C-alpha cells in the first residue's frame, strides 16, 4: 500500500489490550495473546490478551461477588439512572476519539463510526430514563384478591458481541443489563477489541461500582465457550452469525440459560411499481452499502416489480458505481475497508460465485488505487434466480442481488424464500398493500417506505434462522429481569379443604 493510502493512526492507543476483571486491567493468566490488525494495511498494530477458561472464571467470580455483596443490584432505579446518564455524558464528550478508534480497528468510515458513537450514548440515556419511568402490572379482583409483579435482576449476564459497529452494539447490551441491576461479563469480538477496552475507564469515571463490569477478550471457542458454559452465568445475550448461535443454543441447554440471540439476515427490499423510485433507490443503496455492507439488517436482496425493473437496474447500477470507496479516516468515504482479511476472502468468494449466478452491472473486484487491504467495490448483480447462493446466503459485505417479480403474490413468495427472517423493507404508495404485505412477510422487523430508522422503544429481533427472542425497550427489561407474581388475599379464604376432621 502506498504512503498516500496509509490511514491515520489514532492518538492515545494503548500499548496492549488487556482484560478488565474486578476493577483492574490484567493479562491472561497463562500470558496468551493474539494479534489485532489494521484492516487498511492488514498489519498487526497491537496485541490483545487471549482469554481462556480460567480468565472467564475470574471475571464471573468478580461479577457474582458484585451482584451478591455489592451495592448495585440494591440501588434505587433513580440512583442507577444517574450513573447511566453520566456514562452517556462521557461517551458523548469523547465521541470523536471513540469514532477514530472504531474506524481504525474495524474499517468503518469515520463519519459512520461517529454516528455509532452517538447512538451508543443514546442507548445509555434511553435505559436511564426507562428504569425510572418503568411501571409494573397490577391485577385486582375487587374484595377478593390483589396481585402485582416484582421485577428482580437475575445475576451475571454474559454478553457476546460482534465486530460490526462493536462499540454501539456493546452499548446495546451493556445499558439494559446494568440498568436493571445485573452485573456483566463482556466478551467482544476478537477482530475488533479496541473500542471495548474504553468501557472500563468510562464506567469507572461515571461511578459504576467495582465488579459490575468485567471484560474478557479472546476467541469464541475459548473465552466465549467458557462464558456460555459457566454455571454461574444465567443469561447469555449474543449477536452474531446463525451457526454460532446454534452452537451457543446447544451448549446452553444443559444449564437452561436465558438466551437472547440476534443472528444473521438476508433481508428483502421489495420495490413495487408505484413506489417513489428515486427515494427507493437512495434507500436501497444506503441499505446495503452503508457500514461497508457489514450489517445484519442489510437489504441485500432487492425485489423489483417488472414494470420498473429495467429503469431501476440502470439507475441503481449507475449510482452504485458512484459510491465512494476510500480510507476509513477520510470523512468523504462511504465504503471503507472490510474488517479482516478472512472476511474479505469470504466476500470476494461470493463475488466470484455471483458472476456465474447473475449479471454483473457494477463493481466485482477491488477499487482502483487500493491494491492492498480489505477493499471491495460496491457490487451489483441483477437477474438473480431465487435458488442462487447469492440470493440465499448471507454475504455480509457490499454485494447486492436484484431479482424481478410480476405480482404481489410472487413478491411475497420471493421475500420469504430464505431461511432468514430479520428485516424487510417495502416500497409502495398503496396503503392497503403495504400493511397486508408487512403482515405476511416473515421478518421480525418491517420498514414501510423507510430505510433502517428504529425507535429505541420498539422490539429488535428476527424469526426463523435470524434469532431467538427480542430486545429493545421493555423487551430488554423483560430479558434482564425475573418477573415475580405476588398474590394477596383480601377476603374470605377460598380453597377446598382436604382431610378435615368431621
Amino acid at each position: 500500500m502506498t504512503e498516500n493510502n496509509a490511514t491515520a493512526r489514532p492518538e492515545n492507543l494503548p500499548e496492549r489490550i488487556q482484560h478488565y476483571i474486578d476493577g483492574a486491567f490484567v493479562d491472561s493468566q497463562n500470558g496468551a495473546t493474539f494479534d489485532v490488525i489494521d484492516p487498511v494495511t492488514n498489519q498487526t498494530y497491537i496485541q490483545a490478551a487471549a482469554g481462556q477458561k480460567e480468565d472467564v472464571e475470574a471475571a464471573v467470580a468478580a461479577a457474582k461477588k458484585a451482584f451478591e455483596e455489592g451495592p448495585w443490584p440494591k440501588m434505587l432505579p433513580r440512583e442507577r439512572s444517574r450513573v447511566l446518564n453520566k456514562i452517556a455524558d462521557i461517551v458523548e464528550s469523547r465521541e470523536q476519539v471513540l469514532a477514530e478508534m472504531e474506524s481504525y480497528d474495524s474499517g468503518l468510515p469515520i463519519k459512520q463510526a461517529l454516528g455509532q458513537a452517538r447512538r451508543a450514548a443514546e442507548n445509555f440515556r434511553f435505559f436511564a430514563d426507562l428504569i425510572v419511568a418503568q411501571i409494573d402490572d397490577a391485577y385486582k379482583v375487587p374484595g377478593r384478591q390483589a396481585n402485582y409483579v416484582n421485577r428482580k435482576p437475575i445475576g451475571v449476564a454474559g454478553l457476546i458481541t460482534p465486530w460490526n459497529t462493536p462499540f454501539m452494539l456493546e452499548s446495546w447490551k451493556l445499558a439494559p443489563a446494568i440498568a436493571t441491576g445485573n452485573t456483566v461479563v463482556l466478551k467482544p469480538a476478537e477482530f475488533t477489541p479496541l473500542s471495548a477496552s474504553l468501557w472500563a475507564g468510562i464506567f469507572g469515571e461515571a461511578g459504576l461500582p467495582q465488579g459490575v463490569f468485567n471484560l474478557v477478550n479472546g476467541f469464541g471457542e475459548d473465552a466465549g465457550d467458557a462464558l456460555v458454559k459457566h454455571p454461574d452465568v444465567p443469561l447469555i445475550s449474543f449477536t452474531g452469525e446463525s451457526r454460532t448461535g446454534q452452537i451457543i443454543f446447544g451448549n446452553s441447554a444443559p444449564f437452561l440459560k436465558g438466551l437472547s440471540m440476534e443472528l444473521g439476515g438476508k433481508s428483502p427490499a421489495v420495490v413495487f411499481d408505484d413506489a417513489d423510485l428515486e427515494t427507493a433507490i437512495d434507500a436501497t443503496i444506503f441499505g446495503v452499502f452503508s457500514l461497508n455492507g457489514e450489517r445484519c439488517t442489510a437489504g441485500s436482496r432487492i425485489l423489483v416489480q417488472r414494470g420498473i425493473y429495467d429503469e431501476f437496474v440502470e439507475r441503481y447500477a449507475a449510482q452504485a458505481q458512484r459510491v465512494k470507496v476510500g480510507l476509513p479516516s477520510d470523512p468523504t468515504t462511504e465504503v471503507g475497508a472490510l474488517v479482516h482479511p478472512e472476511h474479505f476472502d469470504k466476500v470476494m468468494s461470493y463475488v466470484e460465485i455471483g458472476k456465474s449466478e447473475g449479471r454483473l452491472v457494477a463493481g466485482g473486484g477491488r477499487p482502483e488505487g487500493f491494491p492492498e487491504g480489505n477493499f471491495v467495490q460496491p457490487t451489483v448483480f441483477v437477474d438473480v434466480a431465487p435458488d442462487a447462493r447469492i440470493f440465499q446466503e448471507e454475504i455480509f459485505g457490499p454485494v447486492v442481488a436484484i431479482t424481478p417479480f410480476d405480482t404481489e403474490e410472487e413478491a411475497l413468495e420471493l421475500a420469504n424464500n430464505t431461511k432468514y427472517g430479520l428485516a424487510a423493507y417495502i416500497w409502495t404508495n398503496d396503503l392497503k398493500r403495504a400493511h397486508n404485505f408487512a403482515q405476511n412477510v416473515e421478518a421480525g422487523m418491517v420498514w414501510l417506505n423507510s430505510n433502517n430508522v428504529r425507535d429505541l422503544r420498539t422490539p429488535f429481533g428476527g424469526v426463523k434462522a435470524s434469532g431467538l427472542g427480542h430486545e429493545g425497550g421493555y423487551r430488554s427489561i423483560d430479558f434482564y429481569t425475573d418477573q415475580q407474581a405476588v398474590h394477596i388475599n383480601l377476603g374470605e379464604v377460598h380453597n377446598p379443604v382436604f382431610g378435615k376432621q368431621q
Side-chain angles (χ1 to χ4, degrees):
M1 177 158 296
T2 66
E3 186 175 343
N4 290 338
N5 279 351
T7 193
R9 185 182 176 96
E11 297 180 1
N12 301 319
L13 284 177
E15 293 183 2
R16 66 189 192 280
I17 295 174
Q18 297 175 284
H19 311 307
Y20 185 76
I21 298 174
D22 202 17
F25 286 103
V26 295
D27 294 323
S28 295
Q29 292 183 33
N30 70 352
T33 62
F34 63 95
D35 294 340
V36 185
I37 66 168
D38 160 18
V40 168
T41 66
N42 283 334
Q43 299 298 310
T44 299
Y45 78 90
I46 203 168
Q47 295 277 312
Q52 311 296 314
K53 182 178 180 181
E54 57 268 25
D55 303 303
V56 170
E57 288 175 345
V60 172
K64 184 181 180 184
K65 181 179 179 182
F67 183 78
E68 294 177 347
E69 302 176 17
W72 187 251
K74 304 175 185 66
M75 289 169 64
L76 294 174
R78 173 64 72 187
E79 294 173 319
R80 291 201 298 268
S81 176
R82 289 192 184 102
V83 175
L84 266 67
N85 272 312
K86 287 179 184 177
I87 293 169
D89 291 340
I90 295 167
V91 171
E92 285 177 347
S93 72
R94 298 178 188 172
E95 62 183 26
Q96 188 63 38
V97 172
L98 291 169
E100 288 172 0
M101 289 195 176
E102 188 91 312
S103 178
Y104 186 78
D105 198 30
S106 70
L108 284 176
I110 184 65
K111 188 174 181 180
Q112 295 170 41
L114 187 60
Q116 297 301 315
R118 291 169 180 165
R119 185 71 162 189
E122 183 59 27
N123 282 332
F124 276 91
R125 205 164 310 280
F126 173 82
F127 285 104
D129 292 340
L130 191 60
I131 58 170
V132 173
Q134 176 186 320
I135 59 172
D136 289 308
D137 296 321
Y139 310 90
K140 294 181 180 179
V141 182
R144 295 185 61 177
Q145 193 178 58
N147 313 271
Y148 64 89
V149 175
N150 282 330
R151 286 185 184 268
K152 301 179 180 181
I154 297 174
V156 179
L159 312 179
I160 304 175
T161 53
W163 46 256
N164 61 318
T165 64
F167 191 79
M168 190 282 290
L169 287 173
E170 289 153 10
S171 76
W172 172 235
K173 300 179 187 298
L174 286 166
I178 66 175
T180 47
N182 298 284
T183 58
V184 302
V185 177
L186 171 66
K187 206 297 283 183
E190 59 267 25
F191 285 174
T192 54
L194 180 61
S195 60
S197 68
L198 302 173
W199 284 116
I202 293 169
F203 289 154
E205 187 175 332
L208 192 70
Q210 179 176 322
V212 173
F213 169 74
N214 302 272
L215 165 69
V216 178
N217 294 291
F219 295 93
E221 58 267 31
D222 298 320
D225 187 64
L227 188 59
V228 168
K229 292 177 178 176
H230 200 295
D232 291 333
V233 181
L235 293 174
I236 296 290
S237 177
F238 169 75
T239 298
E241 55 98 19
S242 299
R243 177 59 190 142
T244 305
Q246 291 175 320
I247 295 170
I248 290 173
F249 190 94
N251 288 339
S252 299
F255 305 97
L256 299 176
K257 293 177 185 274
L259 292 177
S260 176
M261 296 198 290
E262 191 263 289
L263 307 177
K266 191 70 177 177
S267 300
V270 185
V271 184
F272 288 94
D273 58 12
D274 65 339
D276 180 329
L277 198 55
E278 182 174 357
T279 304
I281 290 171
D282 287 344
T284 50
I285 287 277
F286 179 84
V288 74
F289 298 130
S290 59
L291 305 179
N292 299 345
E294 298 165 326
R295 58 185 306 164
C296 52
T297 55
S300 54
R301 294 183 296 136
I302 305 179
L303 313 177
V304 184
Q305 199 156 21
R306 188 85 60 180
I308 60 170
Y309 183 77
D310 290 341
E311 180 183 0
F312 184 96
V313 164
E314 181 181 357
R315 292 173 60 178
Y316 191 96
Q319 190 160 330
Q321 289 169 338
R322 295 192 296 268
V323 172
K324 181 178 178 181
V325 181
L327 291 174
S329 55
D330 183 343
T332 66
T333 290
E334 294 170 324
V335 172
L338 300 188
V339 68
H340 193 276
E342 289 179 16
H343 186 59
F344 171 84
D345 290 344
K346 173 195 169 185
V347 172
M348 290 305 296
S349 73
Y350 275 105
V351 171
E352 292 307 308
I353 290 168
K355 291 176 181 177
S356 65
E357 292 187 331
R359 179 163 56 94
L360 179 66
V361 295
R366 281 187 173 276
E368 186 176 344
F370 290 93
E372 300 173 7
N374 307 321
F375 293 92
V376 178
Q377 290 176 312
T379 298
V380 182
F381 293 103
V382 302
D383 307 338
V384 178
D387 61 350
R389 288 185 64 186
I390 62 169
F391 186 98
Q392 290 288 335
E393 299 175 17
E394 185 177 38
I395 299 173
F396 219 64
V399 182
V400 66
I402 304 181
T403 301
F405 69 87
D406 290 298
T407 65
E408 187 175 327
E409 292 74 20
E410 183 186 5
L412 184 64
E413 182 180 353
L414 288 169
N416 291 340
N417 184 23
T418 73
K419 68 179 182 179
Y420 297 105
L422 187 58
Y425 307 86
I426 302 166
W427 294 89
T428 179
N429 282 315
D430 184 325
L431 184 63
K432 179 179 176 182
R433 170 198 282 158
H435 288 291
N436 286 335
F437 200 98
Q439 175 72 29
N440 293 316
V441 74
E442 294 169 351
M445 299 169 287
V446 181
W447 280 268
L448 303 178
N449 296 322
S450 171
N451 66 4
N452 189 321
V453 178
R454 194 181 71 82
D455 188 301
L456 288 176
R457 294 171 294 181
T458 60
F460 187 104
V463 298
K464 301 195 293 188
S466 286
L468 175 72
H470 288 77
E471 293 187 46
Y474 277 110
R475 272 72 172 188
S476 292
I477 302 295
D478 287 341
F479 177 69
Y480 289 107
T481 57
D482 279 329
Q483 298 178 52
Q484 178 191 61
V486 179
H487 308 275
I488 308 163
N489 184 56
L490 297 178
E492 181 183 350
V493 177
H494 295 274
N495 60 273
V497 178
F498 283 13
K500 188 171 183 178
Q501 187 173 3
Q502 300 296 322

